[in-house]
Amino acid sequence: MMTKRQNRMTLVALLVIGVSLAGYLGLKAFNENLLYFFSPTDVAEGKAPKGKSFRLGGMVAKGSVKRDGIKVMFDVTDYANTFRISYSGILPDLFKEGQGIITTGSLVNGVFMATEVLAKHDENYMPPEVADALEKTKNKQ
């Protein structure tokens, strides 16, 4: 027979274990759903995850946009490296060549298969990740 104190200590121990387990599972699920941002140079250097979704951002290369119905192919560059993007869907109204964008998707045989394309809001706005990546690339040159 357990005393009141032993019952209380067992309950506290089970509560601590339960909260710890819930915290661990929550952090694990959160970490698996994070989409990290990479520049074309980061991807070329092999820093992007293999077989997982991530964000790739840069400038849409001038003269690279090719449309075939709803499918669009274009290049994204950080002026040091360039990647081909394939996207099926309706592009944002603000999408155009020479503009900063962020795409979400994964790399398949050297082509980035995008599931989402985000364009900058106006002429003065650049996604912070894209601006930082372009700045790093300029500093390397």
Side-chain angles (χ1 to χ4, degrees), residues 16-77:
V16 167
I17 290 170
V19 168
S20 298
L21 183 62
Y24 168 76
L25 292 174
L27 285 174
K28 186 173 186 246
F30 178 72
N31 211 15
E32 288 175 0
N33 290 327
L34 280 180
L35 291 175
Y36 292 104
F37 173 85
F38 296 92
S39 70
T41 297
D42 292 335
V43 177
E45 292 172 354
K47 295 179 182 174
K50 307 279 186 267
K52 284 187 80 180
S53 189
F54 63 94
R55 287 185 169 174
L56 174 67
M59 304 299 282
V60 178
K62 292 195 183 292
S64 70
V65 178
K66 310 275 185 277
R67 296 174 190 266
D68 181 17
I70 199 163
K71 186 173 183 180
V72 184
M73 300 280 284
F74 57 94
D75 295 339
V76 166
T77 184

Side-chain angles (χ1 to χ4, degrees), residues 3-134:
T3 64
K4 274 187 170 184
R5 180 184 168 110
Q6 288 173 323
N7 281 341
R8 199 173 312 131
M9 293 306 284
T10 302
L11 184 63
V12 167
L14 288 174
L15 190 62
V16 167
I17 290 170
V19 168
S20 298
L21 183 62
Y24 168 76
L25 292 174
L27 285 174
K28 186 173 186 246
F30 178 72
N31 211 15
E32 288 175 0
N33 290 327
L34 280 180
L35 291 175
Y36 292 104
F37 173 85
F38 296 92
S39 70
T41 297
D42 292 335
V43 177
E45 292 172 354
K47 295 179 182 174
K50 307 279 186 267
K52 284 187 80 180
S53 189
F54 63 94
R55 287 185 169 174
L56 174 67
M59 304 299 282
V60 178
K62 292 195 183 292
S64 70
V65 178
K66 310 275 185 277
R67 296 174 190 266
D68 181 17
I70 199 163
K71 186 173 183 180
V72 184
M73 300 280 284
F74 57 94
D75 295 339
V76 166
T77 184
D78 61 2
Y79 304 116
N81 288 283
T82 302
F83 271 90
R84 192 84 175 137
I85 311 292
S86 176
Y87 177 68
S88 292
I90 298 169
L91 289 167
D93 291 340
L94 298 172
F95 177 91
K96 64 183 177 195
E97 294 178 357
Q99 171 180 348
I101 64 159
I102 295 179
T103 59
T104 303
S106 56
L107 208 52
V108 179
N109 299 325
V111 176
F112 190 81
M113 306 302 286
T115 56
E116 180 180 34
V117 176
L118 302 173
K120 67 180 184 175
H121 296 137
D122 63 30
E123 295 305 312
N124 301 318
Y125 176 77
M126 170 94 47
E129 298 96 337
V130 174
D132 291 345
L134 292 174

